[in-house]
Amino acid sequence: MRPRIAGTLLLMVWVIVAAVLAAGGPARAFLAQVEAELKEQTQRVMAADWIKNTYLTEDTAALAAAVNEELLAVTSRHVRDARRFQGQALDPESRRKLHLLRLRTPLAAPSDPAQRRRLAKLREQMDAAYSRARDCGPEGRGPCQDLQQVIRLFATNRDAETLRNAWLGWHRQGRLQRPRYTEFVAAANVGAREFGFADMGEMWRSAYDMPPAAFAREIDRLWRQVRPFYEALHCHVRGRLARAFAGSLPADGSIPAHLVGNLWSQDWSTIYPLVEPFPGKAGPDVSAALARGKFDPIRAVTTGESFFTSMGLPDLPKSFWQRSIFTKPAGREMTCFDAAYDVSGDGDLRLKMCVQPNAESFATVHDELAQIYYLDAYRGRPELFRRAANEAFDQAVGSTVTLSITPAYLARLGLADHALEDEQALINRLMQLALDQIVFLPFARAVDEWRWGVLAGQIPPSRYNRAWWELRRRYQGIVPPSPRTEEDFDPGAKRHIPANLTYIRYFVSYVLRFQLHRALCHAAGVSGPLTACSVHGSREAGKRLWEMMSLGASRPWQEALAKIAGERTLDASAMLEYFAPLRGWLDRQNGTQRCGW
């Protein structure tokens, strides 16, 4: 290249850089102010939430609601103020921060104070109505049961008529949510449009570092990968249910919603005894071993911590052990829902959990500690980057770690007699996991695909319930136990609808979980099947995990995934590889019988 041309090009580059820096100065100053305010407000929210959930009273709940409402208003104001930077040449970090600012809350509050108050009131009313809901029978005449009683009934009762009545009784309460939800959708979309989105559903889908339409196509692609396995599982389960509930299943191949052991048909693990491949072939009895080993809550949590320190991650700070709560305190109400906190945002790590001496709780300790370490890894980032790569990563990291709780890992802890697992015990374990993980995928897709349609106006109020069951049947092969009408509002019987909590994150996280597990196993140099892999003790796996987590949301999730897996796209092949032994068994069992619905 001739010197004069090279010099001209260099000058053009410098002019462009200077223009970006000049335009970016006000944006960086604005973002610095925003992050300082958001950090202070977020600390207040975290502190109020901790107090509410560990000392539950009407007053602490009201305090938490008030500070959350303040954060919503502050965030909405910042998003509106940030619109002046649209179309300007900004540095990459500022662009990403402005993008994340628009997506910081799943609910965009309208600028009009009256509309904002009405939106908050509707959300509060729907959530409160759900909390007070009871199953009082198909006609609403009692006796009444609360949600936990209904959940236990579905887990343990195998009388079809009793289950049908309980299902109908609980779903009656959804009718009360319909008018509020219809109004809520309109008000929420006002805020979303002010944020620059067509509707709130588009806003949610924009949180995945790709165009909203492309994200919807990704979900469809992943589902097409997994659907044949789900259909084989559905076929086997339906055959076993036909024996247990003779005459209760329709001839079209579908399964009535009340027969799968779960109020929402999202998890079929409680009917495992009905579909167990090899009766009596169980894996290690971890609950009994925990009791024998006197694993009290402190020992359970320290054991979980040692999993991460064995991978080279740091010890948890002394304040974690002083401020966390592992058992429900006597004499006061506390929500036992497991949660990880960084209350100050600067390393005040805490775990809130009612640790139980059983296998499920032991796994949950590992899950929650993974999220504690995620909070710790990215806490040095600027405020707008202090979050997971996307909402699914937050869910996936914890559940990924639990896949390393293998018989070999348990044997090292003295919680299993044998490090090896025979084929029949493995098939049984995979069946238990599939009834939870694989079964959940089509339900998660149906929930948010319904909401996307509602929020976009493609599903009008006159078709709310019909569209809900069309999607449930299409993806899950599940039908209601009796005819439904538009007087019903069955979506309202699932808390995430009235509480406005996104759901597709769970679909993505379940796929991502196995993809991360495979990547960590490869990093650890573990050969053999994924079902036998534990990354306990692998410094290389720990290094990659920490590098990925420390990015927070500073980079698109595709780059975070590449840090740990060398891949930039979601892929369900790891999930299918993990479950391959069960898939082969199902295909042999189903043989030539007609499957599908």
Side-chain angles (χ1 to χ4, degrees):
M1 183 179 293
R2 287 178 292 178
R4 183 177 296 177
I5 296 175
T8 301
L9 289 175
L10 184 61
L11 177 63
M12 290 174 62
V13 169
W14 277 112
V15 168
I16 293 171
V17 170
V20 169
L21 291 174
R28 288 193 295 273
F30 168 77
L31 286 166
Q33 180 183 351
V34 165
E35 290 190 295
E37 192 170 351
L38 285 176
K39 181 177 181 180
E40 180 182 352
Q41 192 67 35
T42 300
Q43 287 174 348
R44 295 181 61 202
V45 168
M46 289 295 100
D49 191 70
W50 174 266
I51 294 169
K52 179 194 76 171
N53 285 305
T54 60
Y55 201 99
L56 185 59
T57 68
E58 289 187 7
D59 291 335
T60 59
L63 174 64
V67 295
N68 269 286
E69 189 57 39
E70 289 174 16
L71 178 60
L72 186 64
V74 166
T75 303
S76 297
R77 172 169 55 82
H78 288 324
V79 171
R80 289 190 295 274
D81 290 345
R83 286 184 296 189
R84 67 180 184 266
F85 300 108
Q86 287 181 359
Q88 293 189 15
L90 303 174
D91 61 278
E93 182 175 298
S94 295
R95 280 201 309 271
R96 181 147 187 86
K97 286 183 176 180
L98 289 170
H99 171 68
L100 293 174
L101 177 62
R102 296 170 69 215
L103 301 168
R104 190 173 175 86
T105 171
L107 182 62
S111 57
D112 179 75
Q115 286 184 315
R116 189 167 62 243
R117 285 193 297 270
R118 181 57 182 160
L119 182 64
K121 185 67 173 177
L122 286 167
R123 183 174 62 172
E124 176 188 330
Q125 288 175 335
M126 289 191 296
D127 208 16
Y130 192 92
S131 298
R132 293 192 300 267
R134 298 292 183 270
D135 159 29
C136 296
E139 305 301 324
R141 297 171 184 164
C144 299
Q145 305 178 89
D146 64 24
L147 178 57
Q148 293 307 314
Q149 290 172 311
V150 179
I151 289 174
R152 284 194 295 270
L153 183 143
F154 272 83
T156 58
N157 194 290
R158 296 295 171 256
D159 178 74
E161 189 61 19
T162 299
L163 293 169
R164 177 182 176 277
N165 288 337
W167 191 97
L168 293 171
W170 177 258
H171 282 73
R172 276 182 62 84
Q173 61 90 22
R175 298 180 183 184
L176 301 175
Q177 303 281 25
R178 177 189 276 268
R180 293 191 189 114
Y181 189 76
T182 303
E183 187 180 354
F184 175 83
V185 166
N189 276 341
V190 170
R193 284 192 287 272
E194 289 183 4
F195 276 33
F197 300 99
D199 57 72
M200 191 163 64
E202 182 183 89
M203 185 176 82
W204 290 349
R205 295 191 300 279
S206 298
Y208 286 85
D209 293 310
M210 61 178 67
F215 176 68
R217 289 193 296 272
E218 278 292 276
I219 297 300
D220 186 62
R221 178 183 64 80
L222 293 168
W223 172 238
R224 281 187 276 110
Q225 278 187 280
V226 178
R227 177 168 180 157
F229 179 30
Y230 174 75
E231 288 180 342
L233 183 62
H234 181 285
C235 189
H236 172 71
V237 169
R238 190 180 190 282
R240 295 296 180 92
L241 291 177
R243 300 181 198 173
F245 299 100
S248 298
L249 276 72
D252 65 358
S254 61
I255 299 175
H258 63 303
L259 299 182
V260 291
N262 179 268
L263 180 56
W264 306 281
S265 314
Q266 68 184 51
D267 172 356
W268 304 353
S269 57
T270 62
I271 62 167
Y272 171 76
L274 299 179
V275 302
E276 186 176 37
F278 299 100
K281 292 293 295 185
D285 188 343
V286 177
S287 298
L290 288 168
R292 287 195 304 271
K294 298 181 180 179
F295 273 71
D296 62 13
I298 293 293
R299 186 177 177 191
V301 179
T302 55
T303 301
E305 181 194 31
S306 69
F307 179 93
F308 295 95
T309 57
S310 79
M311 298 170 69
L313 275 61
D315 293 335
L316 292 169
K318 185 178 180 180
S319 60
F320 171 84
W321 301 101
Q322 295 170 332
R323 298 169 183 173
S324 293
I325 296 180
F326 305 140
T327 58
K328 186 174 182 179
R332 77 185 204 221
E333 284 299 314
M334 168 182 153
T335 58
C336 279
F337 184 79
D338 319 311
Y341 286 80
D342 182 354
V343 175
S344 68
D346 291 315
D348 185 2
L349 304 169
R350 306 184 195 181
L351 172 61
K352 177 185 68 68
M353 183 176 174
C354 298
V355 181
Q356 302 296 316
N358 58 46
E360 181 181 1
S361 188
F362 185 70
T364 302
V365 164
H366 288 69
D367 186 322
E368 291 298 328
L369 288 181
Q371 295 186 55
I372 290 285
Y373 276 103
Y374 208 161
L375 290 168
D376 193 35
Y378 62 62
R379 67 184 170 90
R381 295 285 179 179
E383 181 64 27
L384 285 167
F385 293 158
R386 290 187 190 183
R387 57 196 303 181
N390 63 40
E391 60 184 5
F393 270 73
D394 201 21
Q395 301 285 330
V397 165
S399 59
T400 297
V401 168
T402 65
L403 292 176
S404 283
I405 303 178
T406 60
Y409 171 62
L410 293 170
R412 290 190 204 116
L413 300 177
L415 297 174
D417 295 330
H418 305 288
L420 299 178
E421 185 175 34
D422 71 38
E423 184 179 1
Q424 292 185 349
L426 171 63
I427 296 295
N428 280 357
R429 177 165 69 88
L430 292 178
M431 175 64 80
Q432 289 178 304
L433 189 59
L435 292 173
D436 172 21
Q437 301 274 297
I438 303 301
V439 159
F440 190 83
L441 294 174
F443 176 78
R445 177 175 185 179
V447 168
D448 266 5
E449 191 164 318
W450 178 84
R451 279 196 291 196
W452 296 344
V454 167
L455 292 164
Q458 298 162 351
I459 300 174
S462 61
R463 291 190 64 251
Y464 274 177
N465 220 48
R466 179 180 176 184
W468 173 258
W469 285 108
E470 286 173 351
L471 290 168
R472 297 288 303 278
R473 189 182 189 283
R474 179 189 308 166
Y475 295 126
Q476 283 187 283
I478 292 287
V479 294
S482 64
R484 312 300 283 163
T485 71
E486 289 304 326
E487 290 184 10
D488 301 302
F489 184 56
D490 295 328
K494 177 64 181 172
R495 182 176 181 267
H496 289 69
I497 301 295
N500 197 53
L501 301 172
T502 61
Y503 217 74
I504 203 66
R505 72 175 78 176
Y506 301 115
F507 181 104
V508 176
S509 74
Y510 279 24
V511 172
L512 182 60
R513 171 191 191 185
F514 292 91
Q515 194 170 357
L516 293 178
H517 178 62
R518 181 170 66 183
L520 290 175
C521 291
H522 290 168
V526 177
S527 59
L530 294 179
T531 53
C533 168
S534 177
V535 297
H536 175 261
S538 170
R539 295 291 175 125
E540 179 60 28
K543 176 175 176 287
R544 293 201 193 182
L545 180 62
W546 187 264
E547 287 177 349
M548 184 274 287
M549 295 191 300
S550 65
L551 288 175
S554 65
R555 307 297 302 161
W557 67 262
Q558 294 89 339
E559 293 186 31
L561 179 61
K563 276 281 185 186
I564 199 169
E567 303 166 341
R568 299 177 62 90
T569 58
L570 293 167
D571 182 10
S573 67
M575 173 182 273
L576 297 177
E577 180 182 346
Y578 191 92
F579 284 102
L582 176 62
R583 175 64 192 277
W585 183 86
L586 286 169
D587 288 344
R588 293 190 295 274
Q589 292 297 306
N590 292 335
T592 59
Q593 68 174 300
R594 179 181 174 273
C595 296
W597 53 89

